[in-house]
């Protein structure tokens, strides 16, 4: 729908994304850095996905969720970075109203899926360590698929709700976004109408989309920690904790940056800190995930070596 013809009286037809820096002489350097980061992130995550597919030893629930997480991470960075690279190359900073809301929708969708996948992975660790005798039945292929499908469905509902809600706001004044992609805090700043209901919606849905999953992750790992501490051998404890350390690191990075970003919705002015958090959410996190999951995991390292060399395992 054309924003000018809508019943909400929106006058702004495009937004100006200023990007990370306003000095044109730095744009070539930024282009090279973010192109490199994009290629590394996409290559790393697709390599993890390929490793999971080619190695039968990785055909387990944990790696099924990790493979889905890799796909989501590729989507997350693809929603934001290529369009920024295009603007750096063409020096055209405008983004039309419609594509801006589309970018917002897909970014919220993928971040929401990320939340639920991380929760599913925590639940998987809880079952594997605390309920090992019933693990294979409680985490069957059907259960895995249902968890992923529910993750997408909930994230889709959340993203669509926010996109529809923000499309009812009036944008009739400034249209300059001090960021490199369209996100809720930046758009709220530019609205001519009250965003109080939208912000309440963010916090309400945020509790469902982030608060509840985070609580479930904490509960799962509390049970895991209690179970591991009951293991008498040091080697057994170390092995149990090592299966969880990578996931806990990713959870801490993801929720830490996400909470900082959305707790600043009421801020009078968005600062360079918000750009830094934006880079962390859209670039650093997806780029680090393959490294974190493969760094101390010999199974993933072996599978990656198979992908790189083209030699498949005979076992």
């Amino acid at each position: 729908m054309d924003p000018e013809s809508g019943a909400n009286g929106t006058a702004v037809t495009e937004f100006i994304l200023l990007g990370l820096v306003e000095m044109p002489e730095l744009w070539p350097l930024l282009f090279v850095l973010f192109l490199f980061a994009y290629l590394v992130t996409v290559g790393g995550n697709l390599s993890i996905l390929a490793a999971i597919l080619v190695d039968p030893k990785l055909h387990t629930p944990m790696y099924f969720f990790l493979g889905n997480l890799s796909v989501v991470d590729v989507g997350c960075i693809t929603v934001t970075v290529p369009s920024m690279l295009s603007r750096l190359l063409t020096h055209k900073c405008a983004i039309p109203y419609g594509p801006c809301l589309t970018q917002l929708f897909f970014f919220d969708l993928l971040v929401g899926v990320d939340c639920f996948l991380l929760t599913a992975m925590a639940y998987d660790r809880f079952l594997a360590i605390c309920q090992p005798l019933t693990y294979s039945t409680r985490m069957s292929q059907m259960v895995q698929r249902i968890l992923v499908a529910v993750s997408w469905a909930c994230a889709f509902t959340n993203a669509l709700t926010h996109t529809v809600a923000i499309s009812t706001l009036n944008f009739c004044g400034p249209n300059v976004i001090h960021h490199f992609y369209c996100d809720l805090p930046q758009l709220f700043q530019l609205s001519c109408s009250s965003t109080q209901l939208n912000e309440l919606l963010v916090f309400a849905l945020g509790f469902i989309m982030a608060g509840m999953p985070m609580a479930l992750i904490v509960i799962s790992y509390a049970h895991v920690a209690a179970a591991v501490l009951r293991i008498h051998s040091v080697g057994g404890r170390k092995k149990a904790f090592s299966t969880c350390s990578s996931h806990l690191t990713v959870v801490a990075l993801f929720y830490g940056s996400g909470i900082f970003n959305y707790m600043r919705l009421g801020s009078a002015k968005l600062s360079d800190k918000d750009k830094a958090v934006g880079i962390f959410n859209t670039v650093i996190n997806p780029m680090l995930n393959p490294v974190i999951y493969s760094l101390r995991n010999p199974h993933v390292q072996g599978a990656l070596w198979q992908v790189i060399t083209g030699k498949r395992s005979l076992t």
Side-chain angles (χ1 to χ4, degrees):
M1 182 179 71
D2 187 341
E4 285 188 321
S5 63
N8 58 13
T10 301
V12 169
T13 59
E14 65 180 21
F15 297 101
I16 306 298
L17 288 166
L18 291 184
L20 294 173
V21 294
E22 298 177 38
M23 294 177 286
E25 59 270 21
L26 292 178
W27 290 355
L29 176 61
L30 279 180
F31 179 85
V32 171
L33 288 175
F34 276 84
L35 177 61
F36 175 76
Y38 179 73
L39 294 175
V40 168
T41 302
V42 172
N45 279 287
L46 291 183
S47 296
I48 289 285
L49 183 60
I52 292 169
L53 292 173
V54 302
D55 191 342
K57 290 196 290 288
L58 300 184
H59 293 174
T60 63
M62 185 67 176
Y63 292 107
F64 173 75
F65 294 127
L66 179 56
N68 279 274
L69 191 68
S70 294
V71 172
V72 171
D73 283 341
V74 169
C76 252
I77 195 170
T78 301
V79 164
T80 54
V81 171
S83 59
M84 183 189 74
L85 294 175
S86 174
R87 288 190 296 273
L88 288 172
L89 207 58
T90 61
H91 294 192
K92 293 179 181 178
C93 299
I95 180 170
Y97 176 88
C100 183
L101 293 195
T102 301
Q103 185 181 57
L104 171 70
F105 169 79
F106 280 106
F107 183 70
D108 279 359
L109 170 66
L110 294 165
V111 168
V113 176
D114 233 330
C115 278
F116 285 109
L117 285 178
L118 290 174
T119 308
M121 293 168 82
Y123 178 62
D124 173 76
R125 290 300 85 202
F126 162 73
L127 290 180
I129 294 173
C130 301
Q131 308 285 339
L133 297 179
T134 58
Y135 174 66
S136 58
T137 53
R138 290 194 179 189
M139 191 52 78
S140 64
Q141 285 193 353
M142 181 62 73
V143 172
Q144 295 167 44
R145 289 167 184 162
I146 289 172
L147 287 172
V148 171
V150 169
S151 297
W152 280 97
C154 292
F156 177 85
T157 304
N158 173 70
L160 186 63
T161 302
H162 283 308
T163 306
V164 170
I166 206 162
S167 69
T168 65
L169 298 178
N170 297 329
F171 295 95
C172 52
N175 67 337
V176 177
I177 297 175
H178 295 270
H179 216 318
F180 64 96
Y181 65 95
C182 296
D183 200 7
L184 289 173
Q186 289 74 31
L187 291 174
F188 286 169
Q189 286 257 307
L190 299 179
S191 175
C192 300
S193 49
S194 173
T195 61
Q196 186 175 4
L197 288 176
N198 295 75
E199 291 181 14
L200 287 173
L201 188 64
V202 169
F203 287 115
L205 289 178
F207 175 76
I208 298 171
M209 295 295 298
M212 288 177 64
M214 191 173 181
L216 291 172
I217 290 171
V218 170
I219 292 169
S220 295
Y221 276 110
H223 284 285
V224 167
V228 170
L229 290 174
R230 287 196 293 268
I231 299 174
H232 297 294
S233 69
V234 176
R237 288 184 185 180
K238 187 176 179 181
K239 183 179 179 181
F241 272 127
S242 68
T243 63
C244 305
S245 59
S246 298
H247 181 245
L248 282 171
T249 304
V250 171
V251 167
L253 292 173
F254 178 80
Y255 276 99
S257 57
I259 289 170
F260 178 86
N261 192 35
Y262 286 97
M263 288 300 105
R264 290 174 54 79
L265 282 176
S267 299
K269 186 179 179 182
L270 296 170
S271 67
D272 287 339
K273 290 180 181 178
D274 298 277
K275 294 181 182 181
V277 172
I279 294 172
F280 210 89
N281 285 333
T282 60
V283 181
I284 305 299
N285 272 348
M287 186 166 61
L288 284 179
N289 284 354
V291 177
I292 292 170
Y293 280 110
S294 61
L295 194 62
R296 297 177 61 186
N297 192 318
H299 296 302
V300 174
Q301 290 172 4
L304 283 172
W305 180 249
Q306 291 177 36
V307 171
I308 294 168
T309 60
K311 297 177 182 178
R312 298 189 62 167
S313 175
L314 298 176
T315 58

